Amino acid sequence: MRRQSLGFALAALAALWAAPAVAAGCTLGAPGETVRVAVGGTGRSAMLHLPAGFARARPAPLVLLLHGSGGSGKGIFENSKLAAAADRHGFIVAAPDAGIPVQQGFVWNIPGVPTVTGKIPGPGDADDVAFLTGMIDWLAANRCADRTRVYATGLSGGGRMSSWLGCVAAERFAAIAPVVGLRAGNPLAGNPRVPDPATCTPSRAVPVIAFAGDADRTNPIQGGGAGYWQYTMAMALARWSDLDGCRAGPAQRELGAALYEVRYSDCRAGAEVLGRITRGAGHVWAADNDAMWAFFARHRRR
């Protein structure tokens, strides 16, 4: 019996050695480095940063970082300094180029809204929502990204695009953080000082933290300016509060001599809506990256 048992044990070990190796996990880059990767078979690419100390066998939270109008993924990586926060907190950053080329950069396709060129994207332009959600699927299939902890942020036009993702792809994102770009749908045709409720109908409550500067002359918090920027930031926050079913707020508190916060709370499904405004800041990356991550870390898609 002992010899028979030993034989079974040796046979089992041999079978294990002969079995195909289990995938080691995400191999799309080196921990702590930023590389450009081709996104599946899309013909498009993105800058990808795996955090220092990334455990390849365990998918990590993913933050999509979207550049401003006329910019690029490489440019927003350098401008935002978000990769350093990723190393501190252990999340992946992916920054693709938008789908519509303009001069030396790219703009995002937000249907029905003119780009900075004044042209409304048409049916022949790239579907950026499909591309971005497909990129999430690709990163998850490569065992890099945790589908339940996917977040979107972006600067200016990228902030408007991350707002749009909250409106039309809420089921894919645990939270959004627009920077100098919060919207809650397209301006209403008959009254552009309010958002059109038909253009933002998220399928679930979306936690939102928005960053802005009160000296921004491109996307002023008071509204006005370009056609896509007619209603105020306060209106956008209030609309997200309505969409998320928040029962408390707005409550304003001072966070420092140059920073204050507007908060809506007691929202559906644990959501919250925050606006952080820096006094004297213009049209710049006005986000505190550590505060952004602290907000993201509180939320996971269920």
Side-chain angles (χ1 to χ4, degrees):
M1 290 294 292
R2 286 182 181 176
R3 289 181 180 177
Q4 189 176 22
S5 299
L6 180 60
F8 285 145
L10 290 173
L13 283 172
L16 285 173
W17 289 331
V22 176
C26 180
T27 58
L28 294 178
E33 294 183 359
T34 301
V35 297
R36 181 173 289 278
V37 295
V39 180
T42 65
R44 293 171 65 176
S45 64
M47 304 301 295
L48 182 72
H49 182 85
L50 300 181
F54 176 64
R56 293 188 183 276
R58 178 177 298 178
L62 168 66
V63 176
L64 297 189
L65 175 60
L66 309 181
H67 63 75
S69 299
S72 67
K74 183 176 185 296
I76 193 63
F77 247 122
E78 295 170 354
N79 180 27
S80 69
K81 306 294 191 282
L82 196 60
D87 287 340
R88 288 193 295 274
H89 302 293
F91 60 89
I92 295 170
V93 185
D97 296 332
I100 303 175
V102 292
Q103 298 178 349
Q104 302 302 310
F106 304 87
V107 293
W108 299 101
N109 181 348
I110 300 175
V113 178
T115 70
V116 292
T117 67
K119 178 179 178 292
I120 296 177
D125 289 311
D127 184 335
D128 282 324
V129 173
F131 169 69
L132 292 170
T133 54
M135 185 169 69
I136 294 168
D137 291 336
W138 178 72
L139 288 168
N142 278 281
R143 300 185 65 187
C144 301
D146 179 348
R147 291 181 186 274
T148 69
R149 295 184 292 169
V150 177
Y151 312 92
T153 185
L155 172 71
S156 189
R160 293 188 292 110
M161 186 65 197
S162 57
S163 300
W164 185 245
L165 291 171
C167 289
V168 301
E171 69 282 357
R172 307 302 301 274
F173 294 90
I176 61 172
V179 181
V180 298
L182 178 69
R183 297 288 81 186
N186 300 348
L188 187 65
N191 179 11
R193 296 292 293 181
V194 299
D196 181 353
T199 61
C200 188
T201 56
S203 58
R204 57 180 289 274
V206 180
V208 176
I209 183 170
F211 298 88
D214 69 0
D216 189 339
R217 298 293 176 259
T218 302
N219 291 341
I221 63 173
Q222 301 85 2
Y228 53 74
W229 197 263
Q230 289 297 295
Y231 58 86
T232 66
M233 181 179 179
M235 179 72 73
L237 289 168
R239 179 58 183 155
W240 276 110
S241 169
D242 290 342
L243 290 167
D244 287 351
C246 302
R247 293 184 289 270
Q252 182 171 321
R253 64 171 179 156
E254 298 294 321
L255 299 179
L259 181 67
Y260 68 93
E261 177 183 270
V262 177
R263 175 187 290 265
Y264 291 87
S265 56
D266 195 13
C267 313
R268 285 187 296 115
E272 51 189 327
V273 177
L274 279 67
R276 288 196 169 192
I277 296 91
T278 302
R279 295 183 176 94
H283 195 66
V284 297
W285 184 264
D288 177 326
N289 291 337
D290 292 319
M292 180 190 292
W293 176 250
F295 181 87
F296 282 165
R298 293 201 293 268
H299 299 285
R300 180 189 295 254
R301 185 172 59 81
R302 298 170 183 171

